[in-house]
Amino acid sequence: MSGVEEAGGDTAAGEETAPGAEAAESPVFSAVAVPEITVRWNQELAPALRDAVTEHGSLEPAGLLDALPELWRTVDAALERVGPGCLVTESVRHDAYEGWQVAALPRYDLDGGIRPQDRRDVVVQGPPARDRRALVQALVDAVAERPCLDLRDALRMLDVFAGIFPHGLDAVCHRLLAHDLRLGAAAGLAPLHEALRRRAPGRISATCYQESAVGSRKAKGDPATDNEDAAGAARGASGAVRCAVFDGVTGSGDGSGALASRAALDQAGRRWRMDEDLPPQQLVDELDAAIGRATAEGSAAAVLATVRPDGTASLVSAGDAEAWLVRPLRGPASTARELPFAAWKLTPAHTGYAEQLRITPDAEGEESALVNYLGNGPGRWTHSTLALAPGDLLLLASDGATEPERDRWFGAVLAELAAQIDASGRPPAPALAAALVQRAEALGGWDNATALVCAIGEAKDA
């Protein structure tokens, strides 16, 4: 599979060597000596995962998560056969007919031979950090608009483009990086994949709870305008539950953001009472127009959900208001540290930073500077659908309630809060809404914080 190509050698008999030629062909001395190793594959390689998705169409982005369990089994086999540290981003490959392929690169000695590996504990320990990073980069690279630069770039795109990427990809990547994965990647990721595939076996019920707070550092002593968030929910005649969170935006501090968010909620409420399932474009246009009638200055970020009795839900978002899904994991925990819940983000960000990151990994700037919102034309907005199951917690929140912590993914925060609430025996949905608002104040109280949590259960017989 590999070898070293040696440069130079003896001169053939009868050939003359020009004066100085030997010196000219000698390698220049360097303080760092690096061998040249040639890799020859003993079989045809399938296209790299990004090429398989974007060019060959052998795997659709929407079907990526369903196909991953087979990849993890192939990864475990590669690590057991070749040893740890054998993966790079280009190692993950896919063929339309043959399926997954892992091009494993063994470590080499200075003589070009394959370095012996101690593989006795590879499967028990799971993929080492280097291999995990390569897998995450490969997965993000496959669905991103541009090539993924490195792990930092991959994690930023997972956060900013959630909802555009397949739902749950962020949870898979973070579990891959942080979990012990004992007994291998396939076994370690199996509980999450079961949760991602879970669907309601019958009709569902939905009940919404909400909490909101001004934020101590945001308060200016005017109760009418200090809190510029607005949220609400209603149940229609068909049984569908509609809910929304609007986060008012004002640059002058004149309360126009509060006017905008309340005007949008009022318009949404009128539509909810009519129990019409409007096309998303018409809904967004009506909300935008309502804000325009209420204020010439204010605008609002928005996230809306419609939860139907058949177990499906649709989401519409504009700006930096967010939707998340918290779902319990089934089966016995493989380690004492494993949380019984998982969470993943359902909506992307519509900010100047997101627009830059879409085209370059060197994106910089204020991540809260909105480029798309309701008021003066909605610009870009997103619409997506998802399947729910009993036990789910669907979270809609303003950005103040999803304030990030340093070096900690918010999905891990949600999973930990859900686990603590579950262990305490408190009602999960109202307790989670309250915990998120309390957490926002504990982190400094810099912004209005609103959390609306929709608890999904089994529909009771009429």
Side-chain angles (χ1 to χ4, degrees):
M1 179 180 289
S2 63
V4 175
E5 294 184 348
E6 298 180 355
D10 295 336
T11 303
E15 294 182 0
E16 296 183 359
T17 302
E22 183 176 350
E25 294 177 0
S26 299
V28 178
F29 178 83
S30 172
V32 178
V34 181
E36 294 182 0
I37 298 173
T38 300
V39 176
R40 298 182 181 90
W41 299 100
N42 58 3
Q43 66 183 83
E44 183 179 355
L45 294 183
L49 183 55
R50 178 176 178 82
D51 294 335
V53 172
T54 62
E55 295 183 15
H56 301 279
S58 67
L59 189 63
E60 294 293 332
L64 177 62
L65 293 183
D66 289 337
L68 287 183
E70 184 59 37
L71 170 63
W72 306 138
R73 287 188 283 271
T74 308
V75 166
D76 287 339
L79 292 173
E80 185 175 12
R81 178 178 177 183
V82 182
C86 66
L87 303 182
V88 295
T89 302
E90 294 78 11
S91 293
V92 183
R93 296 173 173 268
H94 190 273
D95 179 78
Y97 301 101
E98 301 297 335
W100 292 106
Q101 182 187 56
V102 172
L105 291 165
R107 296 298 185 92
Y108 295 93
D109 285 325
L110 291 178
D111 63 358
I114 296 177
R115 182 184 304 170
Q117 298 285 350
D118 183 0
R119 305 183 184 88
R120 289 174 296 177
D121 297 326
V122 169
V123 175
V124 174
Q125 295 174 353
R130 166 191 168 114
D131 295 323
R132 296 176 190 227
R133 291 193 295 267
L135 292 169
V136 169
Q137 289 175 225
L139 294 178
V140 176
D141 197 48
V143 297
E145 291 186 20
R146 59 166 176 80
C148 176
L149 178 64
D150 52 26
L151 181 63
R152 177 173 177 267
D153 188 30
L155 294 178
R156 294 195 301 173
M157 288 198 287
L158 281 171
D159 179 59
V160 169
F161 302 132
I164 297 174
F165 291 173
H167 286 166
L169 181 63
D170 53 345
V172 169
C173 290
H174 281 280
R175 187 177 179 90
L176 185 61
L177 290 172
H179 195 265
D180 286 339
L181 300 183
R182 296 190 181 277
L183 303 181
L189 288 160
L192 178 57
H193 281 295
E194 185 281 328
L196 290 170
R197 291 192 296 262
R198 194 178 306 159
R199 301 292 184 268
R203 293 173 66 83
I204 65 168
S205 64
T207 308
C208 296
Y209 306 84
Q210 68 185 66
E211 292 284 349
S212 187
V214 172
S216 58
R217 295 180 188 268
K218 186 78 178 286
K220 294 181 173 60
D222 186 352
T225 59
D226 275 353
N227 193 342
E228 296 186 309
D229 291 351
R235 189 183 308 276
S238 67
V241 171
R242 295 177 174 86
C243 49
V245 170
F246 299 97
D247 184 356
V249 180
T250 178
S252 59
D254 59 0
S256 58
L259 291 175
S261 62
R262 293 165 192 170
L265 183 61
D266 288 343
Q267 178 63 28
R270 283 190 286 272
R271 274 301 179 186
W272 292 340
R273 286 190 293 274
M274 295 172 66
D275 198 28
E276 291 185 8
D277 197 3
L278 287 179
Q281 181 66 67
Q282 186 176 345
L283 175 63
V284 170
D285 288 343
E286 288 192 9
L287 296 176
D288 186 74
I291 291 175
R293 291 191 297 269
T295 172
E297 301 293 333
S299 56
V303 58
L304 302 93
T306 299
V307 180
R308 301 178 181 85
D310 64 0
T312 62
S314 61
L315 295 168
V316 172
S317 69
D320 56 1
E322 299 178 3
W324 289 77
L325 187 66
V326 183
R327 179 168 285 178
L329 298 175
R330 293 174 177 168
S334 59
T335 70
R337 292 176 292 175
E338 184 173 354
L339 294 174
F341 289 86
W344 51 92
K345 194 177 178 184
L346 302 171
T347 52
H350 296 96
T351 63
Y353 174 75
E355 293 300 303
Q356 291 184 45
L357 191 63
R358 192 180 300 277
I359 59 176
T360 175
D362 299 322
E364 296 179 355
E366 179 56 54
E367 296 187 21
S368 62
L370 300 184
V371 294
N372 299 297
Y373 43 82
L374 299 180
N376 296 319
R380 178 178 297 186
W381 54 277
T382 58
H383 173 251
S384 61
T385 60
L386 68 151
L388 298 172
D392 287 352
L393 300 174
L394 176 62
L395 167 68
L396 309 185
S398 63
D399 65 327
T402 58
E403 183 73 22
E405 298 177 22
R406 183 184 297 274
D407 298 327
R408 195 175 187 208
W409 179 49
F410 184 68
V413 172
L414 278 178
E416 183 175 322
L417 286 174
Q420 293 172 355
I421 292 168
D422 182 66
S424 71
R426 290 174 290 164
L432 180 60
L436 289 171
V437 172
Q438 293 166 4
R439 171 182 171 274
E441 181 61 33
L443 290 175
W446 294 100
D447 198 0
N448 303 154
T450 298
L452 187 153
V453 181
C454 191
I456 308 301
E458 296 181 3
K460 297 181 180 179
D461 295 335

